[in-house]
Amino acid sequence: EDKVVQSPLSLVVHEGDTVTLNCSYEVTNFRSLLWYKQEKKAPTFLFMLTSSGIEKKSGRLSSILDKKELFSILNITATQTGDSAVYLCAVGDGGSQGNLIFGKGTKLSVKP
Amino acid sequence: DADVTQTPRNRITKTGKRIMLECSQTKGHDRMYWYRQDPGLGLRLIYYSFDVKDINKGEISDGYSVSRQAQAKFSLSLESAIPNQTALYFCATSGPGIGETQYFGPGTRLLVL
């Protein structure tokens, strides 16, 4: 059965801390892995990863994929209270005609 | 203007009522999706459509139906709403490539009493 597992499920840090969110997957026909940030509304796209070992970076956020070990990490440096959100990992499965399989998310709380 | 819009944004209904949630997109995408989100369960796929003539059931399609009225419009109906359909519903679109980025609407919060 295809699955996407995120860890930890929740995390509380203080402003300025660096956090690493994990996403492991078992998918029959992997095509891509995506990270989303969800606050109180719709998810916001962060990164899409298709190749191993190539880091994608945007400001304080970065992500990398390891297709051999079947996982990805999302790093956030110098966290701010505005980073508080649920971070969703999703894997595009070519075997199911392009649908995304979502993990349950990691809830990040950044305290001042 | 938002690329993916959903109406209504919030809805309260009673058990047994039929309701429709609507989704429109201006991204020109062929692929559209309906998800529901429940606390602790993440997003689950209800239905998806790869073009106007192609509609497929997702993980949890029972109790739901959809209509793809045009490339830009994809509606979700609850034929006879029940309380365990209380959830946050998201519509999404994506380009034609397998595994392409999905763009989400703002969500519809539905409460079934």
Side-chain angles (χ1 to χ4, degrees), chain A residues 40-101:
Chain A
K40 294 182 179 178
K41 42 190 178 179
T44 301
F45 170 74
L46 296 176
F47 298 112
M48 178 173 174
L49 304 158
T50 56
S51 301
S52 272
I54 299 175
E55 184 184 53
K56 295 232 174 166
K57 190 173 175 64
S58 176
R60 296 176 294 104
L61 276 66
S62 63
S63 184
I64 197 162
L65 174 67
D66 186 328
K67 292 169 72 174
K68 181 179 178 182
E69 299 297 330
L70 308 183
F71 78 91
S72 174
I73 59 172
L74 175 69
N75 279 320
I76 308 175
T77 60
T79 53
Q80 303 171 357
T81 55
D83 294 327
S84 295
V86 174
Y87 290 84
L88 296 168
C89 172
V91 174
D93 180 2
S96 61
Q97 298 185 342
N99 291 323
L100 291 180
I101 303 166

Coordinates of all heavy atoms in Angstrom, one line a residue, chain A residues 40-101:
Chain A
K40 N -4.2 28.8 8.2 CA -5.7 28.6 8.5 C -6.5 28.4 7.2 O -7.7 28.3 7.2 CB -6.2 29.7 9.3 CG -5.6 29.7 10.7 CD -6.2 30.9 11.5 CE -5.6 30.9 12.9 NZ -6.1 32.0 13.8
K41 N -5.8 28.5 6.1 CA -6.6 28.4 4.8 C -6.0 27.3 3.9 O -5.5 26.3 4.4 CB -6.5 29.8 4.2 CG -5.1 30.4 4.2 CD -5.1 31.9 3.8 CE -3.8 32.5 4.0 NZ -3.7 33.9 3.5
A42 N -6.0 27.5 2.7 CA -5.5 26.5 1.7 C -4.0 26.3 1.8 O -3.3 27.2 2.1 CB -6.0 26.9 0.3
P43 N -3.6 25.1 1.5 CA -2.1 24.9 1.4 C -1.4 25.8 0.4 O -2.0 26.1 -0.6 CB -2.0 23.4 1.0 CG -3.3 22.8 1.4 CD -4.3 23.9 1.2
T44 N -0.2 26.2 0.8 CA 0.6 27.0 -0.1 C 1.8 26.2 -0.5 O 2.5 25.6 0.3 CB 1.1 28.3 0.7 OG1 0.0 29.0 1.1 CG2 2.0 29.1 -0.3
F45 N 2.0 26.1 -1.8 CA 3.1 25.3 -2.4 C 4.4 25.9 -2.0 O 4.6 27.1 -2.0 CB 2.9 25.4 -3.9 CG 4.1 24.8 -4.6 CD1 4.3 23.4 -4.6 CD2 5.0 25.6 -5.3 CE1 5.4 22.9 -5.3 CE2 6.1 25.1 -5.9 CZ 6.3 23.7 -5.9
L46 N 5.3 25.0 -1.6 CA 6.7 25.4 -1.2 C 7.7 24.9 -2.2 O 8.3 25.7 -2.9 CB 7.0 24.8 0.2 CG 6.2 25.4 1.4 CD1 6.6 24.7 2.6 CD2 6.4 26.9 1.5
F47 N 7.8 23.6 -2.3 CA 8.8 23.0 -3.2 C 8.3 21.8 -3.9 O 7.4 21.1 -3.4 CB 10.1 22.5 -2.4 CG 10.8 23.6 -1.6 CD1 10.8 23.6 -0.3 CD2 11.5 24.6 -2.3 CE1 11.4 24.6 0.4 CE2 12.2 25.5 -1.6 CZ 12.2 25.6 -0.3
M48 N 8.9 21.5 -5.0 CA 8.6 20.2 -5.7 C 10.0 19.6 -6.1 O 10.8 20.3 -6.6 CB 7.8 20.5 -7.0 CG 7.6 19.2 -7.8 SD 6.5 19.6 -9.2 CE 6.5 18.0 -10.1
L49 N 10.2 18.4 -5.7 CA 11.5 17.7 -5.8 C 11.3 16.5 -6.7 O 10.4 15.7 -6.5 CB 12.0 17.3 -4.5 CG 12.1 18.4 -3.4 CD1 12.1 17.9 -2.0 CD2 13.4 19.2 -3.7
T50 N 12.2 16.3 -7.6 CA 12.1 15.1 -8.5 C 13.4 14.4 -8.6 O 13.5 13.2 -8.9 CB 11.7 15.5 -9.9 OG1 12.6 16.5 -10.4 CG2 10.3 16.0 -10.0
S51 N 14.5 15.1 -8.3 CA 15.8 14.5 -8.4 C 16.5 14.4 -7.0 O 16.4 15.3 -6.2 CB 16.7 15.3 -9.3 OG 16.1 15.4 -10.6
S52 N 17.2 13.3 -6.8 CA 18.0 13.1 -5.6 C 19.1 14.1 -5.4 O 19.8 14.4 -6.4 CB 18.5 11.7 -5.5 OG 17.6 10.8 -5.0
G53 N 19.4 14.6 -4.2 CA 20.6 15.3 -3.9 C 20.6 16.7 -4.3 O 21.6 17.4 -4.0
I54 N 19.6 17.2 -4.9 CA 19.6 18.6 -5.4 C 18.8 19.4 -4.4 O 17.6 19.2 -4.3 CB 19.1 18.8 -6.8 CG1 20.0 18.0 -7.8 CG2 19.0 20.2 -7.2 CD1 19.4 17.9 -9.2
E55 N 19.4 20.3 -3.7 CA 18.7 21.1 -2.7 C 17.9 22.2 -3.4 O 18.5 22.9 -4.2 CB 19.7 21.7 -1.7 CG 19.0 22.4 -0.5 CD 19.9 23.1 0.4 OE1 20.8 23.8 -0.1 OE2 19.8 22.8 1.6
K56 N 16.7 22.4 -2.9 CA 15.9 23.5 -3.4 C 15.9 24.5 -2.2 O 15.7 24.1 -1.0 CB 14.5 23.1 -3.8 CG 14.5 22.2 -5.0 CD 13.6 22.7 -6.0 CE 13.7 21.9 -7.3 NZ 12.6 22.2 -8.2
K57 N 16.0 25.8 -2.5 CA 16.1 26.7 -1.4 C 15.3 28.0 -1.7 O 15.3 28.4 -2.9 CB 17.6 27.1 -1.2 CG 17.9 27.9 0.1 CD 19.4 28.1 0.3 CE 19.7 29.0 1.4 NZ 19.2 28.4 2.7
S58 N 14.6 28.5 -0.7 CA 13.9 29.7 -0.8 C 13.9 30.4 0.5 O 13.2 30.0 1.4 CB 12.4 29.4 -1.3 OG 11.7 30.6 -1.3
G59 N 14.8 31.4 0.6 CA 14.9 32.2 1.8 C 15.4 31.3 2.9 O 16.5 30.6 2.8
R60 N 14.7 31.2 4.0 CA 15.1 30.4 5.1 C 14.7 28.9 5.0 O 15.0 28.1 5.9 CB 14.5 31.0 6.4 CG 15.0 32.4 6.7 CD 14.3 33.0 8.0 NE 12.9 33.2 7.7 CZ 11.9 32.4 8.2 NH1 12.2 31.4 9.0 NH2 10.7 32.7 7.9
L61 N 14.0 28.6 4.0 CA 13.5 27.2 3.8 C 14.3 26.5 2.7 O 14.7 27.1 1.7 CB 12.0 27.2 3.3 CG 10.9 27.3 4.4 CD1 11.0 28.7 5.1 CD2 9.6 27.1 3.8
S62 N 14.6 25.3 3.0 CA 15.3 24.4 2.0 C 14.8 23.0 2.1 O 14.3 22.6 3.1 CB 16.8 24.5 2.2 OG 17.1 24.0 3.4
S63 N 15.0 22.3 1.0 CA 14.5 20.9 1.0 C 15.4 20.1 0.1 O 15.9 20.6 -0.9 CB 13.0 20.8 0.6 OG 12.6 19.5 0.6
I64 N 15.5 18.8 0.4 CA 16.3 17.9 -0.4 C 15.6 16.5 -0.4 O 14.9 16.2 0.5 CB 17.7 17.8 0.2 CG1 18.6 17.2 -0.9 CG2 17.8 17.1 1.5 CD1 20.1 17.5 -0.6
L65 N 15.8 15.8 -1.4 CA 15.2 14.5 -1.6 C 16.3 13.4 -1.7 O 17.3 13.6 -2.4 CB 14.4 14.5 -2.9 CG 13.8 13.2 -3.4 CD1 12.7 12.8 -2.5 CD2 13.2 13.5 -4.8
D66 N 16.0 12.3 -1.1 CA 16.9 11.1 -1.3 C 16.0 9.9 -1.8 O 15.3 9.3 -1.1 CB 17.5 10.7 0.1 CG 18.5 9.6 0.0 OD1 18.4 8.7 -0.9 OD2 19.5 9.6 0.8
K67 N 16.2 9.7 -3.1 CA 15.3 8.7 -3.7 C 15.8 7.3 -3.5 O 15.1 6.3 -3.6 CB 15.2 8.9 -5.2 CG 14.5 10.2 -5.6 CD 14.6 10.6 -7.0 CE 13.9 9.7 -7.9 NZ 13.9 10.2 -9.3
K68 N 17.0 7.1 -3.0 CA 17.5 5.8 -2.6 C 16.9 5.4 -1.3 O 16.5 4.2 -1.1 CB 19.0 5.8 -2.5 CG 19.7 4.5 -2.2 CD 21.2 4.5 -2.2 CE 21.8 3.2 -1.8 NZ 23.2 3.2 -1.7
E69 N 17.0 6.3 -0.3 CA 16.5 6.0 1.0 C 15.0 6.4 1.2 O 14.4 6.2 2.2 CB 17.3 6.7 2.1 CG 18.8 6.4 2.1 CD 19.0 4.9 2.4 OE1 18.1 4.3 3.2 OE2 19.9 4.3 1.9
L70 N 14.4 6.9 0.1 CA 13.0 7.2 0.1 C 12.5 8.2 1.2 O 11.6 8.0 2.0 CB 12.1 5.9 0.2 CG 12.5 4.8 -0.8 CD1 11.5 3.7 -0.6 CD2 12.5 5.3 -2.2
F71 N 13.2 9.3 1.2 CA 12.8 10.4 2.2 C 13.2 11.7 1.7 O 14.0 11.9 0.8 CB 13.3 10.1 3.6 CG 14.7 10.5 3.8 CD1 15.1 11.8 4.2 CD2 15.8 9.6 3.5 CE1 16.4 12.1 4.4 CE2 17.1 10.0 3.7 CZ 17.4 11.2 4.1
S72 N 12.5 12.7 2.3 CA 12.9 14.1 2.1 C 12.9 14.8 3.4 O 12.2 14.4 4.3 CB 11.8 14.8 1.1 OG 12.1 16.1 1.0
I73 N 13.6 15.9 3.5 CA 13.6 16.8 4.6 C 13.3 18.2 4.2 O 13.7 18.6 3.1 CB 14.9 16.7 5.5 CG1 16.1 17.2 4.6 CG2 15.1 15.3 6.1 CD1 17.4 17.3 5.5
L74 N 12.6 18.9 5.1 CA 12.4 20.3 4.9 C 13.1 21.0 6.1 O 12.8 20.7 7.3 CB 10.9 20.6 4.9 CG 10.5 22.1 4.9 CD1 10.8 22.7 3.5 CD2 9.0 22.2 5.1
N75 N 14.0 21.9 5.8 CA 14.7 22.7 6.9 C 14.2 24.1 6.9 O 13.9 24.7 5.8 CB 16.2 22.7 6.6 CG 16.9 21.5 7.0 OD1 16.6 20.9 8.1 ND2 17.8 21.0 6.2
I76 N 14.0 24.6 8.1 CA 13.7 26.0 8.3 C 14.7 26.6 9.3 O 14.8 26.1 10.4 CB 12.2 26.2 8.8 CG1 11.2 25.5 8.0 CG2 11.9 27.7 8.9 CD1 9.8 25.5 8.5
T77 N 15.4 27.5 8.8 CA 16.4 28.2 9.7 C 15.9 29.5 10.3 O 14.9 30.1 9.7 CB 17.7 28.4 9.0 OG1 17.4 29.3 7.9 CG2 18.3 27.2 8.4
A78 N 16.4 29.9 11.4 CA 16.0 31.1 12.1 C 14.5 31.3 12.1 O 14.0 32.3 11.6 CB 16.7 32.3 11.3
T79 N 13.8 30.3 12.7 CA 12.4 30.3 12.6 C 11.8 31.6 13.2 O 12.3 32.2 14.1 CB 11.8 29.1 13.4 OG1 12.4 29.1 14.7 CG2 12.1 27.8 12.7
Q80 N 10.6 31.9 12.7 CA 9.8 33.1 13.1 C 8.4 32.6 13.5 O 8.0 31.5 13.0 CB 9.8 34.1 12.0 CG 11.1 34.6 11.5 CD 11.1 35.4 10.3 OE1 10.0 35.7 9.7 NE2 12.2 35.9 9.8
T81 N 7.7 33.4 14.2 CA 6.4 33.0 14.6 C 5.5 32.8 13.4 O 4.6 32.0 13.4 CB 5.7 34.0 15.5 OG1 5.8 35.3 14.9 CG2 6.5 34.1 16.9
G82 N 5.8 33.5 12.3 CA 5.0 33.4 11.1 C 5.2 32.0 10.4 O 4.5 31.7 9.5
D83 N 6.2 31.3 10.9 CA 6.4 29.9 10.3 C 5.5 28.9 10.9 O 5.4 27.8 10.5 CB 7.9 29.5 10.5 CG 8.9 30.3 9.8 OD1 8.6 30.8 8.7 OD2 10.0 30.5 10.3
S84 N 4.8 29.3 12.0 CA 3.8 28.4 12.6 C 2.8 28.0 11.6 O 2.1 28.8 11.0 CB 3.2 29.0 13.8 OG 4.2 29.3 14.8
A85 N 2.6 26.7 11.4 CA 1.7 26.1 10.4 C 1.8 24.6 10.4 O 2.6 24.0 11.1 CB 2.1 26.6 9.0
V86 N 1.0 24.0 9.6 CA 1.1 22.6 9.3 C 1.8 22.4 8.0 O 1.5 23.1 7.0 CB -0.3 21.9 9.3 CG1 -0.1 20.4 8.9 CG2 -1.0 22.0 10.6
Y87 N 2.9 21.6 8.0 CA 3.7 21.4 6.8 C 3.3 20.0 6.2 O 3.4 19.0 6.9 CB 5.1 21.5 7.1 CG 5.5 23.0 7.4 CD1 5.4 23.5 8.7 CD2 6.0 23.8 6.4 CE1 5.6 24.8 8.9 CE2 6.3 25.1 6.6 CZ 6.1 25.6 7.9 OH 6.4 26.9 8.1
L88 N 2.8 20.0 5.0 CA 2.4 18.8 4.4 C 3.4 18.3 3.3 O 3.9 19.1 2.6 CB 1.0 19.0 3.7 CG -0.1 19.4 4.6 CD1 -1.3 19.9 3.7 CD2 -0.6 18.2 5.4
C89 N 3.6 17.0 3.3 CA 4.4 16.4 2.3 C 3.5 15.6 1.4 O 2.6 14.9 1.9 CB 5.5 15.5 3.0 SG 6.4 14.5 1.9
A90 N 3.7 15.6 0.2 CA 2.9 14.8 -0.8 C 3.7 14.2 -1.8 O 4.7 14.8 -2.3 CB 1.8 15.7 -1.4
V91 N 3.4 13.0 -2.2 CA 4.2 12.3 -3.3 C 3.3 12.1 -4.5 O 2.2 11.6 -4.4 CB 4.7 11.0 -2.8 CG1 5.4 10.2 -3.9 CG2 5.7 11.3 -1.6
G92 N 3.8 12.5 -5.6 CA 3.1 12.3 -6.9 C 3.4 10.8 -7.4 O 4.5 10.5 -7.6
D93 N 2.3 10.1 -7.5 CA 2.4 8.7 -7.9 C 2.0 8.5 -9.3 O 0.8 8.6 -9.6 CB 1.5 7.9 -7.0 CG 1.6 6.4 -7.3 OD1 2.4 6.0 -8.2 OD2 0.9 5.6 -6.6
G94 N 2.9 8.2 -10.2 CA 2.6 8.0 -11.6 C 1.7 6.8 -11.8 O 0.9 6.8 -12.8
G95 N 1.8 5.9 -10.9 CA 1.0 4.7 -11.0 C -0.5 4.9 -10.9 O -1.3 4.2 -11.4
S96 N -0.8 5.9 -10.1 CA -2.3 6.3 -10.0 C -2.6 7.5 -10.8 O -3.4 8.3 -10.5 CB -2.6 6.5 -8.5 OG -1.9 7.5 -8.0
Q97 N -2.0 7.6 -11.9 CA -2.2 8.6 -12.9 C -2.1 10.0 -12.4 O -2.9 10.9 -12.7 CB -3.6 8.4 -13.5 CG -3.8 7.1 -14.2 CD -5.1 6.9 -14.9 OE1 -6.1 7.6 -14.6 NE2 -5.2 6.1 -15.8
G98 N -1.0 10.2 -11.6 CA -0.7 11.6 -11.3 C -1.3 12.1 -10.0 O -1.2 13.3 -9.7
N99 N -1.9 11.3 -9.2 CA -2.5 11.8 -8.0 C -1.4 12.0 -6.9 O -0.4 11.4 -7.0 CB -3.6 10.9 -7.5 CG -4.8 10.9 -8.3 OD1 -5.1 12.0 -8.9 ND2 -5.4 9.8 -8.5
L100 N -1.7 12.9 -6.0 CA -0.8 13.1 -4.9 C -1.3 12.3 -3.7 O -2.4 12.3 -3.4 CB -0.8 14.6 -4.5 CG -0.1 15.5 -5.5 CD1 -0.2 17.0 -5.0 CD2 1.3 15.1 -5.8
I101 N -0.3 11.7 -3.0 CA -0.6 11.0 -1.8 C 0.0 11.8 -0.6 O 1.2 12.1 -0.6 CB 0.0 9.6 -1.8 CG1 -0.5 8.8 -3.0 CG2 -0.3 8.8 -0.5 CD1 0.3 7.5 -3.3

